[in-house]
Amino acid sequence: MASSSKTSVPTTSAPASSATSSPASSFRQSPWVRWGAPLLLLVGLAVLPLVMTESANDTLARIGVFAVAVLGLNVVMGYTGQVSLGQIFFLGLGAYVTAYGVSQEWNIVLVFVLTCAIPAVAGLLVALAAARLGGLAIAMVTIALPIVGVPLAKRLSDFTGGSQGMSARFVAAPEGSGLYDDQWQLYLVLVIGGIVFLLTYFLVRGKYGRAFAIVKGNENVASSMGISPYRYKVLAFTIASLIGGVSGFLYMVVVQYTSPETMSFGHSIELLVAMVIGGAGSIVGSILGGVFYVVVPDITNAIDPSLTALLQGALLLAVLFVLPGGLVSLPRAVMRGLRRSSAGRGSAAPPTTPSSTPGSGTAAEQTETERHGHA
Amino acid sequence: MNRHFGSRHAIGIAAVSALALTLTACGGGGDSGRSGDAAEGAPSPGITDESVTLGITTPLSGATAGPGTCTVAGVTAYFGMKNAEGGIEFGDGKTRTVEIEALDDTYDPQQAAANYDSLKGDVFAMTAGLGTPTNRAWRDAAIADGVPQALIMTGDPIFSDTDESPMQLGFVPIYQNEGEAFGELLAGSTAEHKVAILSQNDDFGEGYVEGFKSAIEGSDNIEIVQELTYEATDTTVDAQITELASSGADVIFNAMSVTPLTIAALQKAQQLNWTPNWFLPSNTSSPGAILEPGGAAAFPGVYSVSFAKAPASPAFAQDEDVVEYLAALKEYGNYPDPPAFPHCQWSWMVGATLEQAFAEMEEPTRESFMEALRGIEGFEAPLMLPDTSVTTTEDGQPAVSTVVVQKYNGKGYDTVESFE
Amino acid sequence: MTLLELEDVTASYGPVQVLDGVSLSVPENGAFGILGANGAGKTTTLRAISGAVRTGGRIVFDGKDISGMRPDQVAALGIAHVPEGRGSFGDLTVRENLRVGAYLRKDRKGIDEDIDYCLDLFPNLQDRIKSNASALSGGEQQMLAVARAIMSKPRMLLLDEASLGLAPSTAKNVYDAIRRLRLESGIAMVVVEQNANLAFTVVDDATVLETGRSVLTGTSAELKGMDEIRRAYLGG
């Protein structure tokens, strides 16, 4: 998903980062906004489950489940640039581990730990083999995961309940809390999902995130700076698998049932679509991806249940044409449109990179055109 | 990098807050959506004095869209016809029209559960949806919410177990019923038979074999000479067929749900000059799609089971039920073509069975409906074959547990009374 | 004191032999040039040193056999490769690119000092410090690539075709800075260059490659005077 623009860049134009000087950024930098907005968000999320209807709570909880799954995919694909078509397998694995643990009446904390650990170890083993291959080979190996996973889940019926699946209703609201089950479930999703998002946010902003971006941008440069692309690909894949496992746990919190269908290959593609639509290599994009994954089927069902596939396809194309950077680029696209219309077409437009992923694409590609110019 | 994140962060907060506000606004106030605390005897959601609304979640897109669309079309056509005649008389003396709200779940359990959640506040009962995992996904929730999950299209026995599934009832025969019907026919034969069994290694295959074995238990004339399995993901069963052929069996009980494998199995046996009598499940015995390409005419007999008249069969072209059904399907079911899947017929029968239950329902409540639904005995729904009927009073059995064994006649099927 | 020694190094891409026994030796603080036409094996020699291609023969750095090591391991020993095509990160600013170069370092203060040094070395970058790398000119990107390599505090720089595609005056600027870097920092260098004249402004010794073999080795002064060099590379 490396997506740097191949347009030749004006060598003398104004710096591309003119956005930093826009009034919007100074607004953002005011301490009231910087601390007030997250605080407001936190209070909002804390109150929300209490005031919304059961159906809205349920929708929001499912968005949380798939936002976490998309976030995991983003770690390996959006941030590290490795195509993975197997993310749904880790969601399914996590869901099965949860369902099995609950059916055996294990301590729920232990179940959660296993739900993180087992998919992470599975992801690690796959990555150790697949990351050596590089390029499309990784994609091919990851395709195999859901394709193998579905029949495996059917066959290991002692653990998985076979094609009839497994139910696990383990998240009734605690006695005395005064909460309805849907409120309690949404709180669980918000807290667990929120922690995963926060940790991932720090991960991709920090040293590891920079290494992921460098590997994504140019593996040779990464090597030349002492960063082993192999090691970081394996790391990213393992983290993605772990996050996938957590999303499986949340899936069981909300859906409370898993079957081989849960990890069917089609859903893996849908997760990938959700990631691209939301915005590759973006934390907020992951949330928007979750919204897309959950809300769009509901909307198309409301329009005409017999045309859902067609409507979803049309919507997908429309978003990609209008916003190639995903929904997360909408505010920037609007800003750009406004700036352009107010400033006229005078100054050279900043290079439009479809995705604003740090380090996506290398400048080497741009100099190619220049080099030919001199030849 | 920091700059990017800064701006995105702010945008994200805005987006999430906006979303949250929207959801809150949509949701309205209070705990209105939460079910379960209705007073005794008060009308349940989804029913008024004039109409009742039923919900369906079923695959309308994706690989199982064909049968899924049928599950909506049949019952919609049935009640469309009845509504046009003025509605249906309920046991409480009121006449109501029946509305259907159907949603696509693409055979995704998660989406099915979401569809259920969005429908449960508006509909009186859920019905007719296709699929085992998609119905299992919200089975527990339906029990907890007290929402009927009535006459659904799955052969999974759990839905017919009243203790485990108090708010549920499956419509179509469970796998065991089909295997049992063939076993009974075979046990009634005057000759001795050696049976080879080839079954899918999952609950589908196991169910068939279990039913078959229970029916032949104690019959001295039947001997199971060999029993093999295969995986649903296998691409060939040549090895199994070859091994079974050498067993000298004159009957093969083939519990297989995969269309191409069934064709290949029929062909492989012919290659080996092994021509036993075949038993095939109802969903892999289509004359056009499986038996013809498989060259089934080479075998002395190919048997399957059914409980519905096949509208495409010339034998039923003038049948009153079939004529009425096809006309309604076209006019009210939004299904202009001749149905390609039996699920259309089954869904039509679901409509007729629901009408029976409505007629006995004395209060406009879900409890009263479930009671009436479980009180149907020997109802011969339209399109049902002779000797089959809807009976809901037997615990552990779906609404339709009687099937008749049919034999392939080169074009379609004829019901048979005995095994020759 | 020899820092880097190549002994009879061979390499091939599939069936094609691209290095057919290259030997060279670079002393501590020394600078060595690899000259030759397109396809002679210059870039492959650098890639062999940095571990990006499998090789035969021996490559010894600071007394340690590094042949067979992975690129990131070689880099961790202090060999910084400035690849042909530069490979800067277009979406990152110049300053961020420089920080990327210091990825393995932990001395915050030293990093800041080295950034200042790089900006002093390449004043053009100072002017563009907040620009995205994708907005830089070709010459600026080359400077950025060299500066990024410096940021890793290497003991040896591998420079690949630093003048490629640049206007002559820009190329001269780049090489002026590289010479100054060498004098001030003492970082050893292996310089691959088609433009021999530019290379000679930096290196002490050089070798000429033809189809994967050294055909001529000597000091800059010796080579400059030779007819072959003049004819082949100096347009004489």
Side-chain angles (χ1 to χ4, degrees):
Chain A
M1 289 277 114
S3 49
S4 89
S5 71
K6 299 241 177 184
T7 47
S8 110
V9 172
T11 49
T12 54
S13 71
S17 53
S18 52
T20 37
S21 56
S22 70
S25 70
S26 58
F27 167 75
R28 254 184 257 121
Q29 271 142 25
S30 114
W32 282 106
V33 177
R34 272 180 58 191
W35 294 107
L39 206 67
L40 207 67
L41 179 76
L42 213 62
V43 171
L45 287 177
V47 174
L48 218 54
L50 300 176
V51 298
M52 292 196 308
T53 62
E54 184 182 0
S55 146
N57 274 349
D58 178 72
T59 304
L60 207 61
R62 285 191 301 129
I63 288 174
V65 172
F66 291 101
V68 171
V70 170
L71 178 73
L73 186 59
N74 245 326
V75 168
V76 66
M77 210 161 154
Y79 286 103
T80 317
Q82 306 305 307
V83 178
S84 170
L85 298 166
Q87 183 68 4
I88 198 73
F89 172 82
F90 298 104
L91 185 154
L93 188 57
Y96 270 119
V97 171
T98 307
Y100 185 76
V102 168
S103 77
Q104 301 296 308
E105 292 175 9
W106 293 344
N107 180 298
I108 195 65
V109 176
L110 172 72
V111 171
F112 181 75
V113 169
L114 288 176
T115 304
C116 299
I118 293 177
V121 170
L124 174 69
L125 294 177
V126 171
L128 285 173
R132 286 235 179 274
L133 304 171
L136 276 180
I138 296 180
M140 300 320 287
V141 170
T142 55
I143 281 182
L145 289 175
I147 291 176
V148 170
V150 171
L152 208 63
K154 286 184 179 166
R155 195 161 176 176
L156 300 174
S157 54
D158 289 348
F159 297 98
T160 64
S163 53
Q164 293 172 333
M166 283 176 112
S167 281
R169 289 172 78 79
F170 62 104
V171 277
E175 294 284 332
S177 67
L179 292 174
Y180 288 97
D181 285 356
D182 57 284
Q183 295 170 335
W184 175 246
Q185 286 164 17
L186 180 53
Y187 275 127
L188 279 179
V189 171
L190 287 175
V191 169
I192 296 174
I195 291 171
V196 173
F197 265 85
L198 210 63
L199 291 177
T200 308
Y201 174 72
F202 288 124
L203 175 88
V204 298
R205 283 197 69 178
K207 205 169 166 63
Y208 288 109
R210 224 174 313 144
F212 290 156
I214 292 166
V215 169
K216 178 186 180 183
N218 189 327
E219 287 185 27
N220 292 333
V221 170
S223 300
S224 77
M225 285 172 336
I227 298 167
S228 161
Y230 176 70
R231 198 171 300 162
Y232 281 94
K233 283 189 218 170
V234 169
L235 182 68
F237 199 89
T238 305
I239 292 171
S241 309
L242 189 154
I243 296 176
V246 174
S247 73
F249 181 85
L250 297 178
Y251 184 96
M252 288 311 289
V253 166
V254 176
V255 182
Q256 312 191 338
Y257 170 81
T258 182
S259 75
E261 282 302 313
T262 302
M263 55 166 97
S264 83
F265 180 62
H267 300 323
S268 228
I269 301 297
E270 285 161 21
L271 278 183
L272 196 151
V273 166
M275 186 199 80
V276 174
I277 290 282
S282 158
I283 295 284
V284 174
S286 303
I287 297 175
L288 297 176
V291 172
F292 181 87
Y293 189 99
V294 168
V295 171
V296 166
D298 291 350
I299 292 174
T300 53
N301 249 328
I303 297 171
D304 185 347
S306 60
L307 294 178
T308 49
L310 195 74
L311 291 169
Q312 286 171 34
L315 195 68
L316 168 66
L317 285 178
V319 173
L320 286 181
F321 272 114
V322 178
L323 291 170
L327 293 172
V328 76
S329 64
L330 179 65
R332 247 181 320 135
V334 171
M335 290 287 257
R336 199 163 50 226
L338 289 177
R339 245 199 335 268
R340 197 174 295 163
S341 60
S342 65
R345 295 191 156 266
S347 65
T352 50
T353 38
S355 126
S356 59
T357 318
S360 79
T362 66
E365 285 159 354
Q366 273 103 27
T367 57
E368 210 70 39
T369 43
E370 194 194 359
R371 205 177 297 159
H372 291 310
H374 282 274
Chain B
M1 203 164 354
N2 293 339
R3 180 177 50 79
H4 276 145
F5 271 108
S7 69
R8 281 199 216 155
H9 200 55
I11 292 161
I13 290 165
V16 172
S17 313
L19 176 80
L21 286 173
T22 320
L23 286 170
T24 319
C26 292
D31 300 329
S32 53
R34 286 175 186 85
S35 47
D37 303 330
E40 192 80 15
S44 295
I47 190 163
T48 67
D49 285 351
E50 286 78 39
S51 75
V52 61
T53 307
L54 303 175
I56 302 176
T57 173
T58 203
L60 298 174
S61 65
T64 34
T69 307
C70 257
T71 58
V72 176
V75 69
T76 308
Y78 188 83
F79 287 118
M81 183 181 78
K82 292 289 171 183
N83 289 348
E85 291 167 4
I88 282 175
E89 202 171 317
F90 278 58
D92 62 354
K94 305 227 164 57
T95 298
R96 298 182 173 91
T97 57
V98 181
E99 313 298 331
I100 305 282
E101 264 189 52
L103 294 179
D104 179 14
D105 61 36
T106 71
Y107 209 74
D108 177 2
Q110 178 265 133
Q111 187 63 42
N115 288 349
Y116 163 73
D117 277 332
S118 76
L119 286 172
K120 70 180 176 194
D122 305 328
V123 301
F124 180 70
M126 298 289 292
T127 188
L130 170 77
T132 299
T134 44
N135 273 303
R136 279 223 180 206
W138 49 280
R139 190 185 66 97
D140 285 319
I143 296 168
D145 301 333
V147 176
Q149 186 174 8
L151 308 179
I152 48 172
M153 308 279 188
T154 162
D156 185 343
I158 196 174
F159 293 99
S160 307
D161 182 327
T162 320
D163 286 338
E164 281 215 64
S165 305
M167 297 308 292
Q168 282 76 10
L169 185 59
F171 185 71
V172 294
I174 56 179
Y175 310 134
Q176 283 83 347
N177 297 147
E178 294 203 3
E180 204 179 330
F182 185 69
E184 277 166 11
L185 187 82
L186 204 59
S189 168
T190 50
E192 305 232 320
H193 295 289
K194 290 178 174 177
V195 182
I197 295 178
L198 176 58
S199 64
Q200 195 162 299
N201 188 17
D202 59 12
D203 55 288
F204 175 87
E206 280 162 21
Y208 272 91
V209 173
E210 187 190 313
F212 178 75
K213 283 183 175 169
S214 77
I216 60 164
E217 211 178 284
S219 310
D220 303 335
N221 62 331
I222 311 297
E223 186 195 351
I224 296 173
V225 291
Q226 194 156 22
E227 200 174 341
L228 295 177
T229 61
Y230 71 95
E231 300 301 324
T233 47
D234 286 351
T235 51
T236 171
V237 289
D238 283 2
Q240 286 94 327
I241 294 290
T242 308
E243 199 178 334
L244 292 174
S246 64
S247 71
D250 65 322
V251 175
I252 174 167
F253 183 83
N254 189 6
M256 193 173 253
S257 78
V258 185
T259 298
L261 275 187
T262 311
I263 297 171
L266 290 166
Q267 289 171 339
K268 182 68 187 172
Q270 290 166 58
Q271 264 178 36
L272 298 166
N273 285 321
W274 182 40
T275 52
N277 287 291
W278 282 79
F279 169 79
L280 289 172
S282 58
N283 63 344
T284 44
S285 56
S286 154
I290 292 177
L291 299 188
E292 262 177 52
F299 300 99
V302 175
Y303 296 84
S304 187
V305 293
S306 177
F307 62 93
K309 293 172 183 172
S313 160
F316 297 117
Q318 303 303 318
D319 186 278
E320 233 174 82
D321 284 358
V322 169
V323 172
E324 185 183 43
Y325 158 69
L326 287 177
L329 201 59
K330 195 177 279 186
E331 188 169 354
Y332 304 109
N334 189 24
Y335 203 98
D337 308 316
F341 302 92
H343 304 74
C344 279
Q345 288 89 277
W346 301 347
S347 173
W348 176 266
M349 295 177 197
V350 165
T353 308
L354 286 171
E355 185 183 1
Q356 290 290 307
F358 289 152
E360 297 301 319
M361 184 177 123
E362 281 162 7
E363 285 171 3
T365 62
R366 287 164 168 172
E367 296 73 32
S368 178
F369 167 74
M370 281 312 289
E371 211 181 302
L373 183 71
R374 289 197 193 284
I376 300 170
E377 229 167 303
F379 169 58
E380 284 178 32
L383 293 181
M384 282 196 114
L385 288 167
D387 296 329
T388 63
S389 65
V390 174
T391 297
T392 58
T393 51
E394 241 178 290
D395 188 23
Q397 295 292 348
V400 179
S401 61
T402 49
V403 288
V404 294
V405 181
Q406 297 193 301
K407 187 177 179 186
Y408 181 56
N409 62 14
K411 281 195 185 107
Y413 282 98
D414 301 317
T415 302
V416 290
E417 301 292 330
S418 62
F419 189 86
E420 297 131 37
Chain C
M1 176 69 191
T2 305
L3 184 62
L4 176 75
E5 179 111 44
L6 272 65
E7 267 177 46
D8 205 20
V9 170
T10 58
S12 48
Y13 294 125
V16 185
Q17 180 98 6
V18 276
L19 293 185
D20 189 13
V22 174
S23 300
L24 58 86
S25 151
V26 186
E28 201 103 49
N29 303 334
F32 191 90
I34 302 179
L35 313 175
N38 265 337
K42 308 188 297 290
T43 293
T44 307
T45 307
L46 281 200
R47 288 167 56 81
I49 299 168
S50 68
V53 290
R54 282 179 188 282
T55 53
R58 258 163 61 87
I59 303 174
V60 179
F61 179 75
D62 197 21
K64 201 173 182 178
D65 190 342
I66 62 166
S67 41
M69 278 191 182
R70 287 198 316 266
D72 53 291
Q73 293 172 321
V74 173
L77 291 176
I79 299 182
H81 190 173
V82 183
E84 191 182 356
R86 293 123 200 185
S88 47
F89 296 92
D91 284 349
L92 300 190
T93 65
V94 168
R95 185 182 288 280
E96 285 163 351
N97 264 284
L98 293 178
R99 288 202 174 276
V100 163
Y103 185 80
L104 288 183
R105 291 174 59 183
K106 298 198 166 45
D107 54 328
R108 204 169 266 270
K109 197 161 156 261
I111 292 172
D112 288 338
E113 283 171 13
D114 284 353
I115 287 180
D116 289 342
Y117 178 75
C118 287
L119 296 178
D120 184 53
L121 195 61
F122 298 109
N124 297 39
L125 295 183
Q126 174 79 68
D127 302 338
R128 311 295 303 270
I129 188 75
K130 283 182 178 165
S131 303
N132 277 11
S134 58
L136 299 184
S137 72
E140 287 164 344
Q141 286 191 10
Q142 184 63 62
M143 294 171 194
L144 180 58
V146 176
R148 196 187 57 213
I150 297 170
M151 289 306 299
S152 69
K153 230 178 168 46
R155 299 181 61 191
M156 170 169 264
L157 264 185
L158 308 180
L159 283 169
D160 197 354
E161 304 273 16
S163 73
L164 196 70
L166 302 184
S169 61
T170 313
K172 184 170 176 301
N173 277 344
V174 171
Y175 269 88
D176 285 348
I178 291 171
R179 189 171 60 244
R180 188 185 139 199
L181 170 70
R182 203 200 143 191
L183 292 173
E184 292 174 357
S185 72
I187 298 174
M189 297 179 180
V190 178
V191 178
V192 157
E193 191 47 81
Q194 256 190 49
N195 185 334
N197 256 346
L198 275 177
F200 289 142
T201 64
V202 174
V203 302
D204 312 316
D205 306 285
T207 186
V208 178
L209 292 191
E210 260 178 44
T211 59
R213 291 179 152 276
S214 285
V215 292
L216 206 61
T217 304
T219 64
S220 298
E222 289 165 3
L223 290 172
K224 256 192 245 180
M226 288 190 172
D227 284 351
E228 288 109 315
I229 297 290
R230 194 181 300 269
R231 265 203 308 279
Y233 308 112
L234 303 183

